[in-house]
Amino acid sequence: ESKLIPREALVISLETSRELPPVKMGEGVIIRVGDRASIFDSRATRFLAEVGLQESKAESGPETKFKFQRALMSGGTCEGTAYQELGFQTAAVCVALGNYHNCGEKNIIREEFVSVQDGVGMAQLLVAAALEMRNFERHVKRLPERLSKYGREARANFKRFKAQALTGSKAA
């Protein structure tokens, strides 16, 4: 077994992938939650999504708006699955590919293509993720913190509605 990649490394697979609903070419880099064979690491995927959200909020103007998509890309299996099966914490990003395997309409051989904007978005996301790696735990904790907040709010609402139901008073 090679020791070239540290066991604690976050591996991010980069690739193109056939455009499959719900993703759309030109709508941003795709954070893959998995492929045909596996689902990627939840924390690593959440980290990329939180960084993507941060990037989308940081920019202004419709021309420069950072966009990303999050989807299961089930058209095939990517390198991310191999790394995950070897025990690495793994995430994956891709851009939608037109004329997958050079197959155009009516099975005519055509050149493959991608959206340049999606490719630039992939690079932007990866640079931002590299810069934010030191804040990995802070990013992945956001979801549990939000869920705890929503749970507290729901319990408080339940108690209030229960008390109102028992006393016969109406909700405010």
Side-chain angles (χ1 to χ4, degrees), residues 1-7 86 88:
E1 182 175 302
S2 172
K3 306 282 189 227
L4 291 176
I5 301 173
R7 196 39 72 184
L86 290 171
F88 289 96

Side-chain angles (χ1 to χ4, degrees), residues 112-128:
E112 293 180 330
F113 62 94
V114 298
S115 161
V116 172
Q117 184 177 349
D118 290 350
V120 169
M122 178 190 277
Q124 183 178 348
L125 176 63
L126 294 170
V127 168

Side-chain angles (χ1 to χ4, degrees), residues 14-142:
L14 318 176
E15 63 181 319
T16 59
S17 190
R18 182 169 47 130
E19 184 180 35
L20 294 170
V23 301
K24 298 269 188 216
M25 186 180 298
E27 292 299 314
V29 59
I30 303 158
I31 298 172
R32 295 180 70 144
V33 298
D35 61 17
R36 180 184 294 179
S38 63
I39 301 298
F40 301 130
D41 184 79
S42 176
R43 290 169 44 86
T45 302
R46 187 178 326 140
F47 169 71
L48 291 177
E50 291 287 344
V51 170
L53 188 59
Q54 181 176 289
E55 286 297 296
S56 68
K57 290 178 178 177
E59 296 190 9
S60 60
E63 316 301 305
T64 60
K65 187 76 173 158
F66 175 80
K67 297 186 292 187
F68 72 96
Q69 305 170 75
R70 187 175 175 273
L72 174 67
M73 300 300 288
S74 59
T77 303
C78 72
E79 292 82 0
T81 289
Y83 282 100
Q84 183 161 286
E85 289 300 312
L86 290 171
F88 289 96
Q89 184 177 34
T90 304
V93 295
C94 65
V95 293
L97 178 66
N99 292 339
Y100 181 72
H101 289 285
N102 299 100
C103 188
E105 290 183 31
K106 299 181 182 178
N107 292 327
I108 296 174
I109 295 174
R110 297 282 186 222
E111 68 278 357
E112 293 180 330
F113 62 94
V114 298
S115 161
V116 172
Q117 184 177 349
D118 290 350
V120 169
M122 178 190 277
Q124 183 178 348
L125 176 63
L126 294 170
V127 168
L131 294 172
E132 286 295 319
M133 274 305 296
R134 67 184 177 278
N135 299 315
F136 182 90
E137 289 301 324
R138 180 175 56 89
H139 284 289
V140 298
K141 282 189 340 188
R142 288 182 180 152

